[in-house]
Amino acid sequence: MSEKPTIVQMFLSALAAMFGVQSSQNHARDFSAGHTWTWMLLGVVVMALFVVFVIFLVTWALSMAGA
C-alpha cells in the first residue's frame, strides 16, 4: 500500500473524512503515502468550499422564500 493517492482521491478522501464515512482501506492508504501539509491544506480548502456552498444555499433559500 505504498502507492501515492491522486489529487482526486485525496479530495474525495477529505470529503469522506469530513462526513465521517472514510473507509479503513482509504484511511490506511492516505496516512501511509501522504504528506501532512498537503492533507492540512486540502482540509482547509474542502472546509472553505463547504462554507461557501452553505452560504450560497442559504442565500438561495432565502431568496426563494421572499426574504
Side-chain angles (χ1 to χ4, degrees), residues 2-35:
S2 62
E3 66 184 40
K4 190 171 183 177
T6 65
I7 191 69
V8 173
Q9 289 174 325
M10 291 175 72
F11 182 76
L12 292 175
S13 288
L15 279 176
M18 186 173 84
F19 290 106
V21 295
Q22 179 73 302
S23 71
S24 60
Q25 182 182 18
N26 287 348
H27 184 268
R29 179 200 66 206
D30 297 342
F31 278 92
S32 67
H35 296 284

Side-chain angles (χ1 to χ4, degrees), residues 35-59:
H35 296 284
T36 305
W37 288 106
T38 306
W39 287 107
M40 291 172 72
L41 179 62
L42 189 60
V44 169
V45 169
V46 167
M47 280 307 290
L49 288 174
F50 180 73
V51 168
V52 168
F53 175 73
V54 169
I55 289 170
F56 170 76
L57 192 64
V58 169
T59 303

